């Protein structure tokens, strides 16, 4: 599976939680730093979290730090994003891919999964 497949999105109220999953090939999980990208409506796709396949170290953009947790299971070729205390601004489509890529030129995105945070 060269292109990832994201799942787990849905409609939640502010303060709610979701757990996103991304299944991909070892090309991403074994050789790169997998991560999650968020594209809010009308906005550019931005990197929000990464995890190292080498040592498990993680990175979070400030806006999600303390609320989101990234994890991975190399055996299952899966990356997860636990999303807690969701806010309205978290609404958008979430994609997984290799951290550090230029989002405007990377061409192996999956379909993404929609997250809608609304009352």
């Amino acid at each position: 599976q060269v292109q990832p497949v994201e799942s787990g999105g849905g409609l939640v109220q502010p303060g709610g939680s979701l757990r996103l999953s991304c299944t991909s090939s070892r090309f991403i999980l074994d050789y790169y730093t997998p991560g999650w990208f968020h594209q809010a409506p009308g906005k550019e796709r931005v990197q929000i979290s990464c995890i190292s396949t080498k040592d498990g170290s993680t990175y979070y953009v400030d806006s999600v730090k303390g609320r989101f947790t990234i994890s991975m299971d190399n055996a299952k070729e899966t990356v997860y994003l636990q999303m807690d205390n969701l806010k309205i601004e978290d609404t958008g489509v979430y994609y997984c891919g290799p951290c550090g890529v230029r989002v405007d030129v990377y061409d192996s995105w999956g379909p993404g999964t929609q997250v809608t945070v609304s009352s």
Side-chain angles (χ1 to χ4, degrees), residues 45-89:
R45 193 170 304 177
V46 298
Q47 178 181 284
I48 62 169
S49 184
C50 312
I51 185 166
S52 172
T53 58
K54 179 183 67 177
D55 60 12
S57 60
T58 58
Y59 161 84
Y60 303 93
V61 70
D62 286 345
S63 61
V64 308
K65 193 171 184 178
R67 300 189 299 117
F68 293 4
T69 304
I70 188 171
S71 60
M72 65 180 178
D73 185 334
N74 282 348
K76 297 181 179 179
E77 299 183 325
T78 301
V79 178
Y80 304 95
L81 186 68
Q82 177 66 42
M83 310 166 69
D84 297 320
N85 299 315
L86 283 160
K87 302 177 179 179
I88 298 294
E89 54 264 41

